[in-house]
Structure formats: C-alpha cells, structure tokens
Amino acid sequence: MAFLRDIWYPAGWASELNDQLLGRTLLDQMVLLFRDANGTARAIGGRCPHRFAPLHLGTKFGDAVECAYHGFRFDGTGRCVLVPDEEGPIPGGMRVPGYPLVERDRVLWIWFGDVDKADPALIPDLSERLSNPKYVALTGTIVIKANYELVADNLIDARHGQFLHASVLKGSGFYEAPHEITHEGHTVQINRLIKNTTAPSTYARFLPDPTIPVDWFTTTRWDPPGIFQLDNGCTPAGCDRDAGVRRPGVHLLCPETETSTHYFYASVRNYNLDDPVADEASREWQRIVFEEQDKVMLEAVQQAMGTTDFLSLHPVLLRADNTATRLRNTMRELLRKEEASRKSVAS
Ligand code: FES
Ligand SMILES: [Fe+2]
C-alpha cells in the first residue's frame, strides 16, 4: 500500500521514550526511537545493514546505539560511527536512514518524505489540548490490527456509538440530533449541539448540580493523515463550554503496516484535575471503548475483508457514510499530488 510521505506522522507519546530503545514499525518500515545523551529524541532505521539484526535489541552508548549482534554503532543521524575489529574506513553503505523527529506537545512527530520539506511549522497544533494547564490528559497507546483508514472511519462515524458502545454511551436524542459538517482546506469538522437538555450520566456525575438543564456538545475535527481532535461535554444551558464538564480528546493514527495501525489517544478533561478516582473512570472508559469495543470490532472487520482494499469490495455506502468517504478521497488526492510532484522532480 502506498502511504503519504510528505507529512508529519505521530510516532508515539514522548512519555513512551525513556532511557530504553524503542523499536516500532511505522509505514511498513522498522524504526528505532531513542534519546541521545542530551535527551533529544531521535529516529533512525531499525534494521542493522550488516546482517539485519533489529537495532532495538542493542544498547545505547552516549549518542550512539550499538547493535547487539556484532557491535557496530550508529549515531542519531543513522551514520555508522564504529565497526569493531575492522581496519580501514567504514564502508559508505554501512548506515541506516535518519528521520526528522520533533517532540512537541507530548507527541513525537516523524517525517518519512522529502527531508527538505520537513518543516516543523506543518505539525498540527495540539497545544490547546495537550499542553494546557486547565486540562489533565491521560494518554494511551494500542495497536489495532486493521488498516488505518478503517480506524479513521470509526472515529469520524458517531453512529456506531449507539450500538457498539451502547453499554457506556447512553443518551436519548443524541444520535438523532442535527449535526453540521464543515470543510476547510483538508480539514473536516462535525459539530453536534443539543440545547437545554438533561445531562447524560457520563457527565452528570461531575456537574455541580446534575439536575440543571445543559447544552450537550460534541465536535470532531479531522486533519490528514489521521489527526482527530474532539471536544465533548455538557455545560449549563447557555454558558461557555469551559463552564461545564469538558472532555477535548485527541486521537492520533499512524499506519504500522497495510493492515495494522498505531493508535495514540489522550482523554482530556477540565474537572477533578488531581483526582485518582476521575483518572480511574477515564482509564476504564478508554479500556472498554477503545480496547474492548472499537479494537475488537475493527480487527474483526479487517479479518472479514482479508487483504482486499475497502473500495474494491464495493461496500454499500449510505449518505451518512459521506464524511468517511471524504476522508479517504482527501488522502487519495494528497497521495496523487505527492506522486505527481515526485515524478516531475525525477523527470
Ligand atoms: S547485524 Fe548488526 S552488527 Fe552485525
Ligand atoms: Fe468507537
């Protein structure tokens, strides 16, 4: 499968990268993530060019990583800096790729495309949700054995909530409520607002007075390649969103392979900031909704599809599927443009 390359992908949460080496397959490539002696996050190819040992099995020596098999060392740019017991210069081919990597707003962003285009200003700005003292954000990482577009379909499609997540997402009238879809550039946003209603139990227990009428809102914003910013909550009717219970989540997707996806999520909240009970409620929600329900269903869907592309199976799509289709079309359009620009540079 062809992946878009000239774009920043999430490679993980910064908190996942400590003193240890972290091997991860991203866009079908083995990548090694590590911190150099200064603590700066680095990304290089994860397979030793000598006899192909995975470099994450090795050891860190200052700014370099030593392969566990024969001791060759590679620095944070991918250059081989030591070949033990070998005289003469290090062969030119003895290196692994080095990838631009930026740590920002608690996320590690990696670039697989043309290095000259790797402008950090293009990284999505998640600071409002992830680096904001008015919120607490609980992060998690899972791998879903399904193509990343199937995972994106799931995140943009609110309707599955009333069935797949019926055990935890109750609320009469929500799914029938009118919603507005906006497109700006490549960004797609869906807004739902139910005014002057009863707070659903998931929010009511955190409101100062659970019986007062509320405005119940959800916003989902998508940006390519798989950046979802949510804003869900209830606020006393007519009040600003910050006046009530607000959960502006973040969901970041990075393809692992054609049929598996790294899913990095953050549950963010503006209430009970330093409260282990609220933390536990949030973790429980993540475990049930993302791991026991979405992941299980998406993996079953991928299994049912085999390795055949989604559209080649001629899915029977309804009007309500238009937004998910728009996401796929946007990705294809970006891919076509990228391939065209590569060809024009090559010719
Ligand atoms: S396989 Fe890495 S040094 Fe030989
Ligand atoms: Fe879901």
Side-chain angles (χ1 to χ4, degrees):
M1 181 180 193
F3 297 112
L4 201 57
R5 306 186 86 76
D6 287 340
I7 198 160
W8 291 99
Y9 282 93
W13 295 109
S15 57
E16 293 182 279
L17 198 55
N18 46 34
D19 249 6
Q20 307 298 310
L21 303 176
L22 178 61
R24 198 158 257 178
T25 297
L26 305 167
L27 276 62
D28 261 336
Q29 294 176 48
M30 285 177 71
V31 174
L32 176 74
L33 302 164
F34 68 100
R35 291 191 184 277
D36 65 18
N38 293 325
T40 305
R42 301 287 195 163
I44 61 175
R47 192 177 70 179
C48 181
H50 177 223
R51 300 187 71 83
F52 310 131
L55 287 176
H56 71 268
L57 300 178
T59 311
K60 212 165 68 162
F61 282 90
D63 285 336
V65 172
E66 182 178 285
C67 178
Y69 206 175
H70 309 96
F72 296 15
R73 289 189 189 176
F74 302 88
D75 69 12
T77 69
R79 194 170 60 98
C80 182
V81 292
L82 177 76
V83 175
D85 308 325
E86 187 81 6
E87 294 195 351
I90 296 171
M94 188 61 77
R95 62 162 300 130
V96 290
Y99 302 106
L101 191 80
V102 175
E103 181 171 344
R104 181 175 294 173
D105 298 324
R106 306 177 59 182
V107 180
L108 301 169
W109 296 97
I110 192 168
W111 181 277
F112 288 96
D114 182 345
V115 174
D116 293 336
K117 295 179 181 168
D119 180 358
L122 300 173
I123 293 174
D125 181 6
L126 303 180
S127 58
E128 158 65 20
R129 286 167 166 72
L130 297 176
S131 307
N132 192 331
K134 75 181 181 188
Y135 296 128
V136 61
L138 300 179
T139 60
T141 298
I142 53 175
V143 171
I144 296 183
K145 297 288 178 200
N147 178 275
Y148 80 100
E149 288 186 327
L150 293 179
V151 186
D153 291 343
N154 172 277
L155 284 164
I156 205 71
D157 160 34
R159 289 169 307 153
H160 76 278
Q162 60 190 311
F163 300 101
L164 188 59
H165 305 311
S167 61
V168 286
L169 286 178
K170 300 185 197 86
S172 61
F174 178 74
Y175 296 101
E176 301 78 32
H179 57 278
E180 174 200 45
I181 303 174
T182 61
H183 312 118
E184 198 181 323
H186 295 127
T187 301
V188 177
Q189 189 159 310
I190 306 176
N191 299 306
R192 266 193 174 76
L193 175 63
I194 309 178
K195 288 190 172 170
N196 217 12
T197 187
T198 309
S201 60
T202 179
Y203 298 117
R205 59 191 170 130
F206 296 109
L207 284 166
D209 178 357
T211 62
I212 57 166
V214 295
D215 293 340
W216 180 6
F217 57 89
T218 71
T219 299
T220 303
R221 171 187 168 143
W222 173 84
D223 292 279
I227 313 299
F228 290 84
Q229 298 181 64
L230 277 55
D231 193 9
N232 302 328
C234 279
T235 196
C239 293
D240 181 85
R241 289 186 174 193
D242 278 326
V245 168
R246 191 168 183 184
R247 294 180 187 155
V250 173
H251 302 252
L252 308 171
L253 308 181
C254 183
E256 181 187 52
T257 66
E258 187 176 345
T259 55
S260 59
T261 303
H262 292 283
Y263 182 10
F264 309 110
Y265 54 79
S267 298
V268 183
R269 67 174 193 268
N270 73 338
Y271 55 91
N272 300 34
L273 296 189
D274 192 15
D275 178 359
V277 175
D279 285 355
E280 188 43 42
S282 185
R283 295 264 182 232
E284 181 69 354
W285 167 276
Q286 292 171 334
R287 192 182 56 74
I288 295 173
V289 175
F290 306 152
E291 299 193 29
E292 288 184 3
Q293 296 176 343
D294 284 326
K295 175 177 158 71
V296 169
M297 176 53 77
L298 288 165
E299 292 184 350
V301 167
Q302 183 69 67
Q303 260 201 327
M305 288 171 54
T307 52
T308 313
D309 174 70
F310 179 75
L311 293 176
S312 308
L313 285 168
H314 306 294
V316 182
L317 299 176
L318 308 175
R319 209 165 39 145
D321 295 302
N322 284 355
T323 311
T325 303
R326 187 177 188 105
L327 267 51
R328 285 169 182 270
N329 290 345
T330 301
M331 291 301 291
R332 273 157 190 67
E333 181 197 326
L334 289 170
L335 197 54
R336 266 196 306 275
K337 280 189 183 155
E338 189 176 297
E339 283 169 354
S341 116
R342 284 239 158 78
K343 276 185 196 143
S344 76
V345 169
S347 60

